[in-house]
Amino acid sequence: MVELVARATMPIRCSTTDTFDAFVQPERITRFWLTSTTDALSPGAQVEWEFMVPGAIEGVHVTAFDRPHHIGFTWTGSGLLVDIRLSQLQSDMTVVSVEVRGFQGDDAMDQTVNTTEGFSIVLCDLKVLLESGHPANLVRDKAALIERSRAA
């Protein structure tokens, strides 16, 4: 059987350090992706993330931390492995690549597609935030759409 992998990549006109810090610092990650986090990401950290979709909460266990190039973690509830890699394309441009593995079950293909879409939106929102100083609220708007579809 072929392993399903969700992938998303985005160039961001920002240094690798600033881009990396946007994922690990609570005051930054809550500007574009999360509602809250119990702590900053660091080597071996175990934190809880509350996403913008109401009721969506996930434990995070950091498995790789190489500032400013690599963050790896496991979502403890689903067992999915998330790998975020950052590379400097130019002096003022970082390429962020995300891969998620570990999809299981009859709906593994749907999970992979949804995760690819989700990370694409996250990276687009991060790009706008870091390049303009203001989030585009893409994640927030997608969360509202998900909440609306659940209520229907």
Side-chain angles (χ1 to χ4, degrees):
M1 179 170 208
V2 175
E3 178 184 29
L4 298 174
V5 181
R7 291 185 177 91
T9 302
M10 179 64 62
I12 299 176
R13 295 183 191 287
C14 190
S15 72
T16 54
T17 301
D18 285 344
T19 306
F20 185 92
D21 289 347
F23 283 104
V24 302
Q25 296 175 350
E27 66 277 3
R28 298 190 71 193
I29 198 168
T30 55
R31 291 196 63 205
F32 71 97
W33 191 9
L34 306 176
T35 300
S36 68
T37 177
T38 56
D39 206 352
L41 295 185
S42 61
Q46 293 192 42
V47 302
E48 187 173 271
W49 282 356
E50 182 178 352
F51 295 89
M52 292 186 186
V53 175
I57 297 172
E58 185 68 71
V60 174
H61 177 228
V62 177
T63 57
F65 195 90
D66 177 23
R67 186 174 192 265
H69 303 290
H70 181 215
I71 306 165
F73 56 87
T74 301
W75 273 325
T76 57
S78 64
L80 294 176
L81 308 172
V82 181
D83 195 56
I84 302 172
R85 297 196 179 261
L86 301 93
S87 58
Q88 187 172 341
L89 185 60
Q90 301 169 0
S91 62
D92 65 341
M93 185 177 291
T94 299
V95 176
V96 181
S97 299
V98 179
E99 288 191 355
V100 183
R101 301 174 185 283
F103 300 99
Q104 303 280 324
D106 293 339
D107 65 341
M109 181 63 77
D110 288 341
Q111 293 175 46
T112 306
V113 170
N114 290 337
T115 301
T116 301
E117 177 189 41
F119 269 106
S120 296
I121 293 168
V122 166
L123 293 181
C124 287
D125 219 352
L126 176 60
K127 177 180 178 69
V128 172
L129 173 64
L130 294 178
E131 291 182 6
S132 74
H134 305 284
N137 292 315
L138 302 171
V139 173
R140 188 174 312 282
D141 292 347
K142 181 63 177 181
L145 228 114
I146 292 169
E147 182 181 19
R148 183 173 180 226
S149 71
R150 287 180 178 172

PDB file of all heavy atoms in Angstrom, residues 40 59 64 74-75 77 90 100 112 114:
ATOM      1  N   ALA A  40       5.092  27.681  24.373  1.00  0.00           N
ATOM      2  CA  ALA A  40       5.883  27.755  23.151  1.00  0.00           C
ATOM      3  C   ALA A  40       6.384  26.365  22.776  1.00  0.00           C
ATOM      4  O   ALA A  40       6.529  25.495  23.635  1.00  0.00           O
ATOM      5  CB  ALA A  40       7.076  28.689  23.354  1.00  0.00           C
ATOM      6  N   GLY A  59      -3.234  17.687  21.177  1.00  0.00           N
ATOM      7  CA  GLY A  59      -1.962  17.635  21.873  1.00  0.00           C
ATOM      8  C   GLY A  59      -0.834  17.607  20.865  1.00  0.00           C
ATOM      9  O   GLY A  59      -0.958  16.995  19.804  1.00  0.00           O
ATOM     10  N   ALA A  64      11.247  17.084  16.770  1.00  0.00           N
ATOM     11  CA  ALA A  64      12.432  17.650  16.114  1.00  0.00           C
ATOM     12  C   ALA A  64      12.370  19.164  16.259  1.00  0.00           C
ATOM     13  O   ALA A  64      11.303  19.765  16.110  1.00  0.00           O
ATOM     14  CB  ALA A  64      12.474  17.257  14.644  1.00  0.00           C
ATOM     15  N   THR A  74       4.302  15.372  16.686  1.00  0.00           N
ATOM     16  CA  THR A  74       3.220  14.409  16.549  1.00  0.00           C
ATOM     17  C   THR A  74       1.976  15.026  17.153  1.00  0.00           C
ATOM     18  O   THR A  74       2.039  15.611  18.237  1.00  0.00           O
ATOM     19  CB  THR A  74       3.552  13.109  17.313  1.00  0.00           C
ATOM     20  OG1 THR A  74       4.767  12.571  16.793  1.00  0.00           O
ATOM     21  CG2 THR A  74       2.438  12.089  17.174  1.00  0.00           C
ATOM     22  N   TRP A  75       0.870  14.930  16.443  1.00  0.00           N
ATOM     23  CA  TRP A  75      -0.424  15.281  17.023  1.00  0.00           C
ATOM     24  C   TRP A  75      -0.851  14.051  17.810  1.00  0.00           C
ATOM     25  O   TRP A  75      -1.112  12.984  17.240  1.00  0.00           O
ATOM     26  CB  TRP A  75      -1.434  15.633  15.945  1.00  0.00           C
ATOM     27  CG  TRP A  75      -1.381  17.078  15.549  1.00  0.00           C
ATOM     28  CD1 TRP A  75      -1.121  18.138  16.348  1.00  0.00           C
ATOM     29  CD2 TRP A  75      -1.610  17.614  14.250  1.00  0.00           C
ATOM     30  NE1 TRP A  75      -1.171  19.307  15.636  1.00  0.00           N
ATOM     31  CE2 TRP A  75      -1.476  19.013  14.337  1.00  0.00           C
ATOM     32  CE3 TRP A  75      -1.922  17.054  13.023  1.00  0.00           C
ATOM     33  CZ2 TRP A  75      -1.639  19.859  13.255  1.00  0.00           C
ATOM     34  CZ3 TRP A  75      -2.084  17.897  11.939  1.00  0.00           C
ATOM     35  CH2 TRP A  75      -1.943  19.282  12.059  1.00  0.00           C
ATOM     36  N   GLY A  77      -3.446  13.123  19.552  1.00  0.00           N
ATOM     37  CA  GLY A  77      -4.786  12.549  19.418  1.00  0.00           C
ATOM     38  C   GLY A  77      -4.940  11.685  18.183  1.00  0.00           C
ATOM     39  O   GLY A  77      -5.550  10.623  18.220  1.00  0.00           O
ATOM     40  N   GLN A  90      16.345  33.164  -0.786  1.00  0.00           N
ATOM     41  CA  GLN A  90      17.132  34.378  -1.000  1.00  0.00           C
ATOM     42  C   GLN A  90      17.335  35.001   0.372  1.00  0.00           C
ATOM     43  O   GLN A  90      16.798  34.508   1.366  1.00  0.00           O
ATOM     44  CB  GLN A  90      16.379  35.353  -1.909  1.00  0.00           C
ATOM     45  CG  GLN A  90      16.042  34.793  -3.272  1.00  0.00           C
ATOM     46  CD  GLN A  90      15.063  35.684  -4.034  1.00  0.00           C
ATOM     47  OE1 GLN A  90      14.629  36.713  -3.556  1.00  0.00           O
ATOM     48  NE2 GLN A  90      14.721  35.255  -5.233  1.00  0.00           N
ATOM     49  N   VAL A 100       2.774  15.853   6.172  1.00  0.00           N
ATOM     50  CA  VAL A 100       2.053  15.179   7.246  1.00  0.00           C
ATOM     51  C   VAL A 100       1.863  13.729   6.832  1.00  0.00           C
ATOM     52  O   VAL A 100       1.400  13.448   5.723  1.00  0.00           O
ATOM     53  CB  VAL A 100       0.689  15.847   7.535  1.00  0.00           C
ATOM     54  CG1 VAL A 100      -0.004  15.169   8.702  1.00  0.00           C
ATOM     55  CG2 VAL A 100       0.857  17.345   7.790  1.00  0.00           C
ATOM     56  N   THR A 112      -6.129  13.071   4.079  1.00  0.00           N
ATOM     57  CA  THR A 112      -4.950  13.602   3.402  1.00  0.00           C
ATOM     58  C   THR A 112      -5.303  14.859   2.607  1.00  0.00           C
ATOM     59  O   THR A 112      -4.594  15.871   2.673  1.00  0.00           O
ATOM     60  CB  THR A 112      -4.326  12.537   2.472  1.00  0.00           C
ATOM     61  OG1 THR A 112      -4.073  11.357   3.229  1.00  0.00           O
ATOM     62  CG2 THR A 112      -3.038  13.027   1.842  1.00  0.00           C
ATOM     63  N   ASN A 114      -7.933  16.867   3.065  1.00  0.00           N
ATOM     64  CA  ASN A 114      -8.316  17.931   3.995  1.00  0.00           C
ATOM     65  C   ASN A 114      -7.102  18.548   4.691  1.00  0.00           C
ATOM     66  O   ASN A 114      -7.051  19.763   4.908  1.00  0.00           O
ATOM     67  CB  ASN A 114      -9.310  17.411   5.032  1.00  0.00           C
ATOM     68  CG  ASN A 114     -10.663  17.111   4.439  1.00  0.00           C
ATOM     69  OD1 ASN A 114     -11.034  17.642   3.395  1.00  0.00           O
ATOM     70  ND2 ASN A 114     -11.404  16.232   5.078  1.00  0.00           N
TER      71      ASN A 114
END
